[in-house]
Amino acid sequence: MAVVQDTSEFRYLPAQAQTLGTDVPHAERIAITLPDGRVLSALRFGLGDPEVTLLHGAGLNAHTWDAVALLLGRPAIAIDLAGHGDSSWRDDLDYSPAVLADDVAHALAHWAPRPQILVGHSLGGLTAQVVAARHPERVRELVLVDIVPGLDTDAAPAVLRDFYAVTDFASRDEAVDRAQAFGFGGSRADTERGVFFNTRVRDDGRVEWKHHFSRIIASAFDSLKNEQAASGGARWTQLAAVAAPVTLVRGERGFLGDADVAAFRKHLPAAAVITVDAGHNVQETAPDSLAAIATGALTSETR
């Protein structure tokens, strides 16, 4: 009898679910065509209307949320931001939060009829903030993961600039070695899975990063820095005006410094701040914490 090999992008879910002690949910790849002709892709977990929407950081993709989605056990979508995963790249190279937010809002209108627990990590958090401010009817609660407005884009993400100084490899194992050397990912198995989803094999056999950020990382962060400088305190004002409850999740070994958290508390004194034992990619190193926070938001009437 022939042995059937699962080669789908969801083939890792059963082993992850077994490790986490959860059931394997229905999972599928979905996509919509945006008004300008680009494609926005996402992962749908569970059946029924999504309750949680997950936005990844720069250089990642929707699969960074797999463990969180498994632990949630609720209908959720994880979106590949423009230029990442299976979503189209932008010809204008503009991956600023304000631009990305338009894509996300369009997707929520299409995929999510109910207000969402909107969870955004890093660049995805800045994008989620804009969505929550512009489209309050779409957001039930906003969860920012290791990011606040005004984060120093020279100091904190400098490691990303260094990491993407190398954009192609002889093998995926070589890419995994580099990722682990920079402290990205959890176990080697987790890092191997993440590298698999974030790379592709070229015709010449070399392995390269799949996302656009690996090629424009310096200009991308420079654009973000310029946008922050031009907006002054507007981003803080925008965040403080978000109607939905706001929670900041800080990784103990993440990008946020004490001054960043102090600024957050100053501008949003009523917001919750939760510190977890994790690096910047909290969703990968402490997925149980994020799942618990999202579940708590879903099960509480008020905050």
Side-chain angles (χ1 to χ4, degrees):
M1 183 174 64
V3 176
V4 177
Q5 297 290 336
D6 183 0
T7 60
S8 77
E9 65 178 307
F10 300 108
R11 63 185 176 278
Y12 295 104
L13 286 185
Q16 283 181 283
Q18 183 176 24
T19 299
L20 296 170
T22 69
D23 295 328
V24 180
H26 169 83
E28 62 179 329
R29 171 71 64 176
I30 58 177
I32 56 171
T33 301
L34 298 168
D36 63 3
R38 288 179 298 112
V39 172
L40 192 74
S41 187
L43 306 176
R44 188 202 305 270
F45 296 95
L47 299 172
D49 293 335
E51 300 173 340
V52 180
T53 294
L54 306 160
L55 305 181
H56 63 77
L60 299 175
N61 60 75
H63 278 291
T64 192
W65 297 105
D66 284 356
V68 175
L70 286 170
L71 290 163
L72 269 174
R74 309 285 283 261
I77 54 175
I79 296 175
D80 280 334
L81 297 176
H84 297 76
D86 285 3
S87 292
S88 300
W89 293 7
R90 292 189 62 91
D91 292 336
D92 61 5
L93 311 185
D94 189 351
Y95 296 105
S96 61
V99 169
L100 297 175
D102 288 340
D103 293 350
V104 173
H106 188 88
L108 293 181
H110 187 80
W111 289 323
R114 70 176 71 181
Q116 296 291 287
I117 307 300
L118 186 58
V119 184
H121 166 248
S122 201
L123 177 62
L126 298 177
T127 301
Q129 169 186 326
V130 179
V131 174
R134 291 180 178 173
H135 305 277
E137 76 284 359
R138 301 281 177 204
V139 181
R140 176 173 171 178
E141 182 152 340
L142 175 64
V143 180
L144 303 177
V145 182
D146 212 55
I147 193 69
V148 296
L151 177 67
D152 186 346
T153 54
D154 285 328
V159 65
L160 297 179
R161 297 174 188 258
D162 294 341
F163 179 69
Y164 289 118
V166 177
T167 59
D168 69 320
F169 308 89
S171 66
R172 283 194 167 105
D173 279 341
E174 189 176 294
V176 171
D177 290 341
R178 184 169 177 81
Q180 291 217 300
F182 275 76
F184 297 150
S187 68
R188 186 169 182 89
D190 290 338
T191 309
E192 287 174 350
R193 184 172 58 248
V195 166
F196 175 80
F197 287 126
N198 227 6
T199 57
R200 59 188 169 205
V201 181
R202 299 191 313 224
D203 291 342
D204 64 1
R206 299 281 294 179
V207 173
E208 66 179 3
W209 298 113
K210 192 175 182 180
H211 54 83
H212 205 180
F213 260 63
S214 65
R215 292 157 177 80
I216 63 167
I217 194 72
S219 63
F221 277 120
D222 287 344
S223 295
L224 179 58
K225 181 179 180 180
N226 292 337
E227 181 193 48
Q228 290 179 342
S231 65
R235 289 292 182 224
W236 279 115
T237 302
Q238 179 188 63
L239 179 58
V242 167
V246 180
T247 296
L248 173 63
V249 181
R250 178 190 186 184
E252 286 186 351
R253 300 176 304 282
F255 286 172
L256 295 183
D258 291 342
D260 297 311
V261 177
F264 179 85
R265 292 184 187 277
K266 174 183 175 182
H267 287 90
L268 288 88
V273 178
I274 301 173
T275 300
V276 298
D277 182 12
H280 179 57
N281 293 355
V282 179
Q283 70 278 7
E284 296 177 357
T285 50
D288 53 335
S289 297
L290 290 183
I293 290 166
T295 299
L298 284 168
T299 55
S300 63
E301 291 299 325
T302 60
R303 286 289 302 273

